[in-house]
Amino acid sequence: MLTGSLIVLSAQGAALAIGHGSCPLGPLQGRLGDPVPLFELALPARAAKAAVPTLAGVALVGVLGLILRPPREAVVRT
């Protein structure tokens, strides 16, 4: 489960990097007639612009925490 989550999170990060921090589905959303980005529906424009980098940073801290955590000893249950 954790591996799958890390794969999906990495794919999302790659898509954001390709889109230079913008949602890669934004152009599709615009073509479908909805020009307002999702975060701007709930947040002011300035906060909406900061939401993606902030959430990416939080996710990166979580992934780094997983990578840098000390190994645990195996627990044997009887």
Side-chain angles (χ1 to χ4, degrees):
M1 184 76 148
L2 180 60
T3 302
S5 298
L6 290 173
I7 290 170
V8 170
L9 196 58
S10 297
Q12 288 176 341
L16 285 173
I18 290 169
H20 302 287
S22 297
C23 178
L25 297 177
L28 174 64
Q29 180 183 356
R31 281 193 301 251
L32 293 174
D34 187 6
V36 179
L38 176 68
F39 284 121
E40 286 188 20
L41 294 174
L43 299 170
R46 185 173 177 184
K49 280 262 190 222
V52 171
T54 301
L55 294 173
V58 169
L60 184 60
V61 167
V63 170
L64 288 174
L66 284 171
I67 292 170
L68 299 175
R69 70 180 177 179
R72 294 186 294 178
E73 293 184 26
V75 177
V76 178
R77 297 180 188 212
T78 55

